[in-house]
Amino acid sequence: MRLDAKKQLTLSNVPNSYVEKTTHIHRHDASCPSKNDIMKGGKSRTSLCPTYEETDVDVNRIPRKVVQRRCKCVNCLPVFDSSMGSRTFSRCVPTFQYQMVLRRVGCQEGLYQYKPVMEPFVVGCSCKLFFKK
């Protein structure tokens, strides 16, 4: 199926009546770990912005279920401490990947109509440093 880039649909172009997203968290531990949790856990590798899985379900989309990642923390884990100075701070920001899905966009004579739509999905989180002026 070929799609003209100028006519490409995004989620914002789809009628609201055909967007029924629900989410389900896979892990019970979706909280941000403290520095003590990391040190006592004995984990040799820990992301600066840990994530957890969440299933995004929408009956009007093919595929109906898509697993996404969500950031556990607002701030990056405190591994930098004060070595970066008091004029910096960090935040965990989601990393998106766009995926082509088929989205129900209408119904004609009892048959649903589907069109390809580019939808953003969160695939991870990264640490972003900010410098205060």
Side-chain angles (χ1 to χ4, degrees):
M1 180 180 325
R2 199 155 179 240
L3 183 66
D4 184 356
K6 294 178 183 177
K7 296 180 182 178
Q8 192 165 26
L9 288 176
T10 62
L11 198 52
S12 61
N13 303 102
V14 175
N16 288 337
S17 59
Y18 291 108
V19 179
E20 298 178 36
K21 289 184 176 235
T22 58
T23 56
H24 307 282
I25 295 175
H26 287 213
R27 286 187 59 175
H28 296 289
D29 181 18
S31 61
C32 184
S34 68
K35 189 173 184 179
N36 289 338
D37 292 336
I38 295 164
M39 297 307 236
K40 73 179 178 186
K43 295 182 180 177
S44 60
R45 288 196 211 191
T46 300
S47 171
L48 293 175
C49 292
T51 62
Y52 62 94
E53 286 185 351
E54 183 177 86
T55 300
D56 180 288
V57 181
D58 192 327
V59 296
N60 295 308
R61 176 186 65 211
I62 298 173
R64 288 184 177 190
K65 293 181 182 180
V66 175
V67 176
Q68 297 193 76
R69 306 298 301 177
R70 293 290 181 208
C71 301
K72 283 187 177 185
C73 309
V74 173
N75 299 318
C76 303
L77 293 183
V79 294
F80 297 120
D81 292 336
S82 60
S83 62
M84 296 296 287
S86 61
R87 300 180 55 81
T88 62
F89 64 98
S90 61
R91 294 283 187 263
C92 290
V93 293
T95 304
F96 292 90
Q97 179 176 339
Y98 284 81
Q99 180 179 338
M100 183 75 72
V101 299
L102 290 177
R103 170 72 60 185
R104 190 181 297 170
V105 294
C107 184
Q108 194 172 45
E109 298 176 12
L111 295 174
Y112 289 121
Q113 297 173 318
Y114 287 85
K115 290 198 176 180
V117 175
M118 290 298 287
E119 285 193 28
F121 294 102
V122 179
V123 295
C125 295
S126 58
C127 182
K128 183 171 184 177
L129 288 175
F130 295 90
F131 298 92
K132 299 176 189 175
K133 290 184 179 185

